[in-house]
């Protein structure tokens, strides 16, 4: 049996094509830059992987030293812990979309914008979320809630294969046939928990255009708009996805003038079907006596999906938290209006409700033999998510405001959250991402098998 090579840090640099940096090196801070500056990491060593072989070398080097390993692609998510070795995958830009079948293969650093652009000519629709700036792999491993989720299901449901480097330092292709338990766990278990994913493959739905956008109402009308939207959203066809947010947008570049520096109620809609049918469905919202301050609803190329939520495309410091609601009765709506509506002086930038159900509620056939999905949200009715700017003097108020909001809806919450929308992994706030007991135990078992030494402990925790 050959003796494993013991690498020094300079030795690691010779083993990989990308940069190997420590805190004293030029470019170290830039390599760690995250979309949310409050989520910035502080590793001992960072490896800028350019390919799967770089990831293999980095994982083996860390494993030989008992050094924990984390991974970062686009830097949109929260991460646990500090120190250790961080592998950045932003340089891994492989993208192959079969125009005939809609089979997509992407490297670990690809963002949804690239997939949207690649699918435009052939009409394949990227199941991306509220921002196309987010990375495909991290988003999907956390479950991935598409803007058209009620029509498409979770992004993780569409994955057919994952290539990943496990704690043994081996590059593996994981499918439902090759390793059903690991395949089950990685699609919704969270990025960086079971290994470092270097590429994934998924099937895309076909949709060239959509009807949708946003209806913005004055914040003063929240007590009128929210109950109507809540009632309207309860009984919709799967083709219609919708969310609502109470927004307090600052007056700054990029914020449309009618919305800047004021509270607004932002009703978002996206319909995968005929425009006339969509407008017929929207009749109860358009019948509100409150005039809109901005209306962007119309027929759009699918590549313009970002206009539905209008998320920021530049880095911004924020804190967030979320939970899943089993129901949204009038009493819950009243509490949200009281806490985040007009006259509340809420420090939160956005308090959002997303209607779930439809295809999101259906466990894919591939998962049924294995006892159902690792994902939360199959039986939930709504996702509640709140965000605040992490800048003084508001930053100091955010932990209390987020906890108060989640406490206020505890009676209607199901005790879980969507992994990508639950907030910072190290928070001890209530309802911060706990899973159903059976899924939690099974995910822990998969983790123990795939990573018995807990090498990948800088990712999202299981519970």
């Amino acid at each position: 049996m050959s003796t494993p090579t013991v690498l020094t840090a300079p030795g690691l640099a010779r083993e990989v094509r990308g940069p190997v940096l420590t805190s004293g090196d030029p470019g170290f801070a830039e390599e760690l830059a995250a979309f949310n500056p409050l989520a910035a990491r502080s590793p001992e060593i960072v490896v800028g992987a350019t390919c799967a072989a770089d990831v293999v070398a980095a994982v083996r080097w860390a494993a030989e030293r008992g050094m924990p390993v984390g991974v970062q692609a686009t830097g949109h998510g929260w991460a646990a812990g500090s120190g250790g070795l961080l592998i950045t995958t932003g340089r891994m830009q492989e993208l192959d979309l079969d125009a005939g079948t809609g089979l997509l293969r992407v490297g670990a650093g690809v963002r949804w914008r690239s997939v949207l652009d690649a699918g435009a000519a052939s009409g394949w629709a990227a199941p991306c979320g509220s921002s196309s700036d987010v990375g495909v792999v991290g988003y999907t491993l956390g479950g991935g809630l598409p803007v058209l989720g009620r029509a498409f299901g979770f992004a993780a449901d569409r994955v057919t294969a994952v290539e990943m480097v496990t704690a043994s330092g081996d590059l593996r292709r994981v499918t439902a046939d090759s390793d059903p338990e690991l395949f089950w766990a990685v699609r919704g278990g969270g990025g960086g928990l079971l290994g470092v994913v270097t590429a994934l493959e998924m099937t895309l739905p076909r949709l060239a255009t959509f009807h949708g956008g946003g209806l913005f109402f004055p914040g003063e009308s929240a007590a009128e708009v929210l109950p109507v939207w809540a009632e309207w959203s309860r009984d919709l066809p799967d083709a219609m996805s919708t969310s609502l947010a109470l927004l307090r947008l600052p007056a700054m570049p990029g914020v449309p003038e009618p919305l800047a520096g004021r509270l607004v109620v932002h009703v978002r809609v996206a319909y995968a079907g005929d425009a006339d049918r969509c407008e017929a469905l929207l009749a109860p919202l358009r019948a509100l006596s409150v005039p809109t301050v901005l209306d962007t609803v119309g027929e759009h190329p699918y590549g313009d999906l970002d206009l539905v939520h209008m998320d920021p495309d530049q880095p911004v410091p924020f804190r967030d938290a979320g939970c899943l609601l089993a129901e949204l009765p009038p009493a819950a709506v009243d509490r949200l209006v009281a806490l985040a509506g007009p006259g509340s002086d809420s420090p939160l930038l956005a308090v959002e409700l997303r209607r779930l159900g439809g295809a999101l509620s259906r466990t894919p056939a591939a998962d049924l033999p294995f006892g159902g999905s690792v994902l939360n949200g199959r039986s939930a009715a709504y996702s509640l998510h709140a965000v605040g700017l992490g800048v003084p003097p508001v930053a100091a108020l955010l932990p209390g405001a987020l906890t108060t909001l989640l406490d206020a809806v505890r009676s209607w919450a199901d005790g879980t959250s969507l992994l990508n929308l639950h907030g910072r992994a190290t928070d001890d706030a209530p309802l911060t991402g706990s899973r159903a007991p059976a899924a939690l135990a099974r995910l822990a078992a998969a983790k123990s098998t795939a990573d018995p030494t807990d090498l990948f402990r800088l990712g999202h925790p299981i519970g």
Side-chain angles (χ1 to χ4, degrees):
M1 182 180 294
S2 61
T3 303
T5 302
V6 178
L7 300 174
T8 62
L12 176 58
R14 290 192 294 270
E15 290 288 323
V16 302
R17 298 178 184 177
V20 177
L21 305 169
T22 62
S23 60
D25 295 326
F28 180 77
E30 290 78 7
E31 190 70 23
L32 299 177
F35 183 83
N36 181 1
L38 299 183
R41 312 243 193 169
S42 55
E44 298 173 54
I45 300 174
V46 59
V47 175
T50 64
C51 59
D54 283 358
V55 177
V56 168
V59 169
R60 290 179 178 176
W61 186 90
E64 289 167 358
R65 290 155 178 77
M67 178 179 286
V69 176
V71 61
Q72 175 176 302
T74 61
H76 280 78
W78 285 102
S82 60
L85 182 148
L86 179 68
I87 300 171
T88 59
T89 60
R91 295 173 179 79
M92 300 175 69
Q93 291 293 315
E94 176 189 4
L95 194 163
D96 182 24
L97 175 59
D98 188 314
T101 65
L103 180 63
L104 171 73
R105 177 183 169 87
V106 292
V110 173
R111 298 173 190 257
W112 280 115
R113 171 45 55 189
S114 297
V115 182
L116 284 169
D117 293 343
S122 51
W124 294 108
C128 62
S130 57
S131 170
S132 63
D133 188 58
V134 171
V136 175
V137 169
Y139 162 92
T140 303
L141 298 183
L145 176 59
V147 172
L148 276 158
R150 287 173 50 81
F152 295 161
F154 288 103
D157 295 342
R158 312 192 72 87
V159 174
T160 58
V162 172
E163 291 182 5
M164 60 189 297
V165 179
T166 57
S168 63
D170 297 317
L171 177 63
R172 299 175 56 185
R173 180 178 174 83
V174 180
T175 68
D177 294 327
S178 69
D179 191 333
E181 200 65 19
L182 185 55
F183 185 68
W184 173 87
V186 75
R187 294 170 303 121
L193 172 71
L194 301 158
V196 181
V197 171
T198 58
L200 64 75
E201 297 171 9
M202 64 165 55
T203 58
L204 301 187
R206 178 159 259 165
L207 188 67
T209 63
F210 74 98
H211 198 82
L215 298 172
F216 294 84
F217 297 94
E220 298 76 23
S221 67
E224 179 178 349
V225 176
L226 264 71
V228 171
W229 177 84
E231 180 62 31
W232 171 80
S233 67
R234 288 190 181 97
D235 186 21
L236 291 172
D238 293 358
M240 175 66 83
S241 293
T242 185
S243 62
L244 178 148
L246 292 164
L247 295 181
R248 285 177 166 81
L249 298 177
M252 59 183 293
V255 176
E257 189 278 330
L259 313 179
R262 64 182 298 186
L263 172 67
V264 295
V265 182
H266 184 191
V267 174
R268 297 87 164 253
V269 294
Y271 186 69
D274 178 77
D276 290 340
R277 173 59 177 155
C278 178
E279 284 299 329
L281 288 169
L282 292 178
L285 299 178
R286 295 203 180 276
L288 283 162
S289 61
V290 183
T292 57
V293 296
L294 184 64
D295 182 345
T296 64
V297 175
E299 190 80 5
H300 304 284
Y302 188 82
D304 290 348
L305 202 65
D306 282 340
L307 65 79
V308 175
H309 283 251
M310 297 176 59
D311 279 5
D313 58 4
Q314 297 298 317
V316 58
F318 66 88
R319 292 289 302 271
D320 66 324
C323 68
L324 291 173
L325 303 179
E327 57 178 335
L328 185 66
V333 173
D334 291 345
R335 289 195 188 180
L336 293 175
V337 172
L339 286 171
S344 66
D345 294 324
S346 172
L348 299 174
L349 177 72
V351 174
E352 176 197 72
L353 291 161
R354 296 195 197 191
R355 182 68 171 104
L356 303 180
L360 297 166
S361 65
R362 295 189 283 274
T363 301
D367 277 347
L368 291 177
F370 313 126
S373 176
V374 69
L375 290 171
N376 298 326
R378 296 292 186 195
S379 60
Y382 294 85
S383 166
L384 173 66
H385 183 236
V387 180
L389 285 176
V391 296
V394 175
L397 304 174
L398 295 183
L402 292 170
T403 299
T404 297
L405 185 75
L406 296 182
D407 282 343
V409 298
R410 184 184 294 273
S411 298
W412 306 287
D414 74 357
T416 69
S417 71
L418 296 174
L419 190 61
N420 291 344
L421 297 176
H422 92 284
R424 188 175 180 179
T426 54
D427 280 351
D428 294 323
L431 306 174
T432 57
S434 58
R435 298 179 181 272
L440 182 61
R442 188 172 171 197
L443 182 59
K447 165 71 171 176
S448 179
T449 300
D451 183 15
T453 64
D454 198 22
L455 181 70
F456 300 109
R457 57 185 180 271
L458 300 180
H460 206 294
I462 293 175

